[in-house]
Amino acid sequence: MTHETAKAARTNRKAGRTASKEVRRRQLIEATIESIGKYGISGTTMNTVTGFAGLSNGIVNFHFTNKETLFEETLRFLAEEHRDQWRKSFRNAALAPEAKLLAIVDAHFHPSICSRKKLAVWFGFYGETGYRASYRRITSEIDEERWEVSTALCREIIRDGGYEGAEADHVASTLEGLYDGFCLNILIYPGEFTRDDAKRRIRGYLACTFPKHFQRPEGPGDKD
């Protein structure tokens, strides 16, 4: 056990002695995120999770029947956390369609959502053949909801701006691809690509697609 893991274990052990069931489940999920962020999916075991959580294997087995269940519940937690983040901003009725679309964009790159350790979990599921079916099962409904909302917003923007030839579903699908690609850049090139870079480049795409509704953002290399 590393010094970092041991310190986390001591802290969590104190909190876990009297914790409720829900608190302990959350504690184990957060420890799983920490472990996957540090060791990857293949290197994460019940022992690495309990090391971060400061709990015994018996307590893990009480809350989760096996490692696969724990992993799936961790992914479900992240998917629902992300959905709740964009819903919170999107549901502001006072916002125009373009502002609501940007709220969804920004939710993807919110610091509490788009951290490198959480991205490591997402891409761990992408990369592990044995977990891809679980990923589709857990996230498909949530992803579909976001795509449908984005498509509806693009449809309003197209109608309002008279953008001939623009197709709402194509724009929404392109945005989904940009989210995944830029998140991967953030994970792999943390010193070269940031959350702000991602938001700026997506705004640039939207400004090219819907120039009456979005302004091209200024960024590195732009002239005054």
Side-chain angles (χ1 to χ4, degrees):
M1 182 182 291
T2 66
H3 174 72
E4 177 187 16
T5 306
K7 183 178 179 181
R10 289 194 298 271
T11 301
N12 288 331
R13 191 175 292 115
K14 293 177 182 178
R17 288 173 185 152
T18 59
S20 68
K21 181 178 180 180
E22 187 56 36
V23 168
R24 281 188 173 167
R25 282 177 63 86
R26 174 69 177 268
Q27 189 177 344
L28 289 168
I29 286 171
E30 290 178 346
T32 303
I33 294 170
E34 292 285 349
S35 181
I36 294 175
K38 187 174 181 63
Y39 302 115
I41 279 188
S42 60
T44 292
T45 66
M46 287 300 207
N47 285 336
T48 64
V49 171
T50 55
F52 278 108
L55 299 171
S56 68
N57 283 339
I59 291 179
V60 180
N61 293 331
F62 175 76
H63 292 284
F64 303 97
T65 55
N66 52 44
K67 186 175 77 170
E68 285 66 35
T69 302
L70 174 58
F71 280 10
E72 289 184 3
E73 288 304 306
T74 299
L75 180 62
R76 192 186 311 279
F77 168 81
L78 292 179
E80 292 177 352
E81 178 187 51
H82 178 240
R83 179 198 61 199
D84 293 345
Q85 180 68 36
W86 71 257
R87 275 182 175 178
K88 181 172 61 177
S89 300
F90 163 79
R91 286 179 171 170
N92 182 346
L95 295 178
E98 59 269 28
K100 290 184 177 182
L101 191 60
L102 286 180
I104 296 175
V105 171
D106 290 347
H108 278 79
F109 304 103
H110 190 279
S112 68
I113 301 297
C114 188
S115 66
R116 293 191 72 233
K117 63 184 178 182
K118 289 182 178 180
L119 291 178
V121 178
W122 285 110
F123 285 103
F125 274 84
Y126 291 168
E128 290 284 341
T129 303
Y131 287 102
R132 287 177 193 158
S134 297
Y135 172 85
R136 289 192 296 270
R137 175 170 48 81
I138 292 169
T139 66
S140 59
E141 184 177 342
I142 291 174
D143 289 346
E144 183 70 16
E145 177 191 0
R146 184 180 60 252
W147 181 85
E148 288 179 354
V149 169
S150 295
T151 299
L153 291 172
C154 289
R155 201 170 285 127
E156 288 186 61
I157 293 169
I158 290 169
R159 184 170 55 248
D160 181 63
Y163 297 108
E164 296 184 6
E167 297 186 38
D169 56 341
H170 289 183
V171 176
S173 295
T174 298
L175 287 173
E176 292 292 323
L178 290 174
Y179 300 149
D180 290 343
F182 289 153
C183 282
L184 183 59
N185 279 358
I186 292 168
L187 178 63
I188 297 178
Y189 307 110
E192 302 171 34
F193 198 89
T194 67
R195 292 186 293 263
D196 286 339
D197 291 328
K199 290 189 288 185
R200 186 174 62 252
R201 294 191 187 192
I202 292 176
R203 279 166 166 77
Y205 163 70
L206 289 172
C208 290
T209 306
F210 303 131
K212 299 175 187 176
H213 291 77
F214 297 93
Q215 291 186 339
R216 183 175 180 272
E218 294 184 359
D222 290 337
K223 294 181 179 181
D224 293 334

